[in-house]
């Protein structure tokens, strides 16, 4: 190609007309609308509970970002903008259901009843895990993109073989992943295995429009939820900023799975309002007006408007929730700052349940290295 000539653009831009057709129960203005297949029936108290969840996790997330900026965490992957997708799906899980997260599911973790301090130990580098996946039915955070979809599928096949599927008390699995992860081999393999073994799993894709700096156009030329059809199971798209719709579709998909009706894919159409992680600068690859257009669809604002419209929430309530979230954030900060540094030798402890000669050798080498410092290691 001669100088000055441009290759034809391989990236068709999204147009306004391509705006998604999705399941929505709450408009950005806080208007409750109906859908032929999905509904929720929350009491005012339950709606206020959802609002509290959304506000608290946003506040804790902002606190974690601030802690990273002050050098107290190594890195942080913010969920800003994705609160409704996480709280809606997280609250739809029944106690016996098992969740497999990425590194961004702090809201789901919160809904599972895990102390929100737990992931901060990981991101501070003082903890190697944090919680017991079996106790909380919430697996470890997974940084390897898409890998947890295979772990989740294997787990789902296992509970199926154990006869834990097929009635109201059956178990189901949910696997979280992003739009970028859909390009991974692991995710596509998980789809195949889940499909052919009719496994009780919900694939919950938070399409936040970006995989670090790569926009959705680089992952797919069809809506992501259409992919499910090619693997032989149902897929749907939900307004990922609508906590009610996210709850409704996830509850239904999980219940179908626990009754033995196999896998499904939910594409929660949302937006990552912050950076990919604190190591990223999104102003390098996206324009401010795009972010602003999504701010108008804010998941918290729309629920607040709905509560105000119906009289289920007043200024006193909103003020109390804000105060509660602020107190939680202060407590989180204090607890992060008082986390003890681990003994460096601890990193060898949980590699294998039964130990290994290789790890023993590495432990000895490292112990000698530490001992070589004058006055011992610090
Ligand atoms: C197998 C693998 N490849 C690359 C990376 C580096 N990486 C970290 S996050 C990320 C983008 C993931 O995007 P997406 O799946 O959309 O999730 P999001 O971060 O937007 O929630 C990549 C490529 C990784 N962690 N693992
Ligand atoms: Mg993404």
């Amino acid at each position: 190609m001669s100088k000055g000539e441009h290759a034809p653009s391989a990236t068709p831009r999204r147009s306004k007309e391509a705006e998604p057709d999705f399941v929505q129960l709450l408009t950005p203005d806080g208007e409750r609308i109906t859908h032929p297949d999905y509904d929720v029936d929350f009491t005012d108290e339950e709606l206020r509970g959802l609002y509290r969840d959304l506000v608290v996790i946003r506040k804790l997330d902002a606190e974690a970002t601030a802690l990273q900026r002050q050098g107290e965490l190594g890195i942080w992957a913010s969920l800003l903008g994705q609160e409704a997708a996480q709280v809606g799906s997280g609250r739809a899980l029944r106690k016996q259901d098992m969740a497999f997260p990425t590194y961004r599911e702090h809201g789901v973790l919160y809904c599972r009843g895990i102390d929100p301090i737990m992931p901060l130990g990981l991101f501070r580098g003082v903890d190697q895990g944090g919680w017991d996946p079996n106790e909380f039915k919430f697996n470890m955070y997974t940084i390897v993109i898409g890998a947890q979809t295979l772990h989740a599928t294997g787990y789902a096949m296992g509970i199926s073989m154990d006869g834990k599927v097929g009635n109201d008390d059956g178990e189901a699995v949910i696997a979280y992943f992003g739009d970028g992860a859909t390009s991974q081999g692991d995710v596509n393999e998980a789809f195949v295995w889940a499909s052919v073994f009719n496994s009780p799993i919900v694939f919950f894709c938070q399409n936040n429009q970006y995989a670090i700096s790569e926009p959705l156009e680089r992952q797919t030329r069809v809506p992501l939820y259409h992919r499910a059809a090619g693997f032989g199971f149902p897929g749907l798209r939900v307004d990922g900023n609508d906590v009610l719709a996210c709850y409704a579709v996830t509850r239904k998909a999980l219940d179908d799975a626990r009754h033995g009706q196999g896998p499904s894919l939910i594409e929660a159409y949302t937006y990552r309002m912050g950076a990919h992680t604190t190591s990223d600068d999104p102003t390098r690859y996206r324009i401010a007006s795009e972010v602003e257009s999504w701010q108008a669809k804010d998941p918290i604002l729309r629920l607040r408007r709905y509560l105000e419209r119906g009289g289920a929430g007043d200024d006193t309530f909103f003020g109390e929730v804000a105060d509660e979230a602020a107190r939680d954030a202060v407590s989180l900060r204090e607890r992060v700052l008082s986390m003890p540094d681990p003994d460096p030798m601890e990193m060898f402890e949980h590699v294998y349940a039964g130990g290994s000669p290789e790890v023993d050798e590495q432990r000895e080498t490292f112990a000698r290295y530490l001992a070589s410092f004058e006055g011992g290691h610090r």
Side-chain angles (χ1 to χ4, degrees), residues 48-365:
R48 283 193 289 270
L50 289 173
Y51 178 81
R52 183 179 291 111
D53 288 343
L54 296 172
V55 170
V56 167
I57 63 165
R58 178 171 289 186
K59 185 72 182 173
L60 295 179
D61 183 76
E63 193 64 32
T65 299
L67 282 163
Q68 194 285 331
R69 286 290 181 252
Q70 292 158 14
E72 299 295 346
L73 300 179
I75 190 171
W76 182 247
S78 166
L79 58 64
L80 185 63
Q82 299 177 219
E83 295 88 351
Q86 296 199 13
V87 169
S89 61
R91 288 291 177 211
L93 288 161
R94 295 189 197 273
K95 203 170 180 341
Q96 69 268 29
D97 297 338
M98 183 72 173
F100 287 76
T102 70
Y103 39 80
R104 205 186 288 288
E105 267 70 70
H106 323 305
V108 185
L109 173 140
Y110 181 81
C111 292
R112 291 266 83 185
I114 298 175
D115 186 336
I117 194 73
M118 288 300 183
L120 278 80
L122 282 178
F123 288 104
R124 191 171 164 87
V126 299
D127 197 314
Q128 297 170 16
W131 56 90
D132 176 355
N134 287 322
E135 183 186 350
F136 295 100
K137 294 278 184 177
F138 186 79
N139 202 52
M140 307 314 294
Y141 275 3
T142 302
I143 310 278
V144 182
I145 301 300
Q148 74 283 359
T149 59
L150 281 175
H151 310 156
T153 300
Y155 186 95
M157 290 168 64
I159 57 173
S160 196
M161 289 171 193
D162 287 347
K164 293 181 173 165
V165 176
N167 55 54
D168 287 353
D169 298 325
E171 295 182 19
V173 177
I174 189 165
Y176 289 91
F177 56 102
D179 45 295
T182 62
S183 299
Q184 289 290 117
D186 282 9
V187 174
N188 290 270
E189 289 164 17
F191 286 179
V192 171
W193 282 78
S195 176
V196 299
F197 283 91
N198 200 43
S199 301
I201 181 166
V202 176
F203 292 107
F204 194 92
C205 176
Q206 286 171 82
N207 175 0
N208 64 7
Q209 314 299 326
Y210 288 91
I212 314 185
S213 56
E214 290 293 297
L216 185 64
E217 291 91 343
R218 286 293 184 220
Q219 314 296 343
T220 187
R221 296 288 171 101
V222 299
L224 288 175
Y225 73 102
H226 282 191
R227 294 232 182 126
F231 293 89
F233 52 85
L236 69 77
R237 188 182 257 173
V238 63
D239 181 344
N241 286 13
D242 173 352
V243 69
L244 303 185
C246 286
Y247 179 94
V249 300
T250 312
R251 182 42 76 104
K252 168 84 166 55
L254 286 167
D255 282 346
D256 286 351
R258 86 179 73 259
H259 281 101
Q261 292 176 40
S264 59
L265 169 65
I266 294 173
E267 177 191 355
Y269 201 83
T270 182
Y271 192 73
R272 196 197 72 213
M273 297 213 292
H276 169 69
T277 65
T278 44
S279 304
D280 171 48
D281 173 8
T283 63
R284 300 285 295 270
Y285 56 82
R286 67 186 191 188
I287 53 173
S289 62
E290 182 184 291
V291 183
E292 282 159 20
S293 76
W294 279 91
Q295 274 161 353
K297 302 176 200 169
D298 188 281
I300 300 185
L301 203 52
R302 76 174 70 184
L303 185 59
R304 181 178 172 132
R305 286 176 177 147
Y306 176 53
L307 294 177
E308 284 169 344
R309 275 167 182 255
D314 55 15
D315 285 348
T316 311
F317 168 71
F318 297 126
E320 279 167 9
V321 173
D323 290 348
E324 181 186 332
R327 279 196 303 275
D328 287 356
V330 169
S331 154
L332 191 80
R333 163 172 294 269
E334 286 170 357
R335 292 198 293 156
V336 165
L337 298 183
S338 64
M339 278 178 176
D341 282 347
D343 178 343
M345 297 308 292
E346 249 181 48
M347 73 173 128
F348 300 99
E349 292 312 311
H350 307 294
V351 183
Y352 293 105
S356 105
E358 286 82 8
V359 174
D360 289 346
E361 196 184 319
Q362 289 168 18
R363 181 190 288 110
E364 281 158 28
T365 307

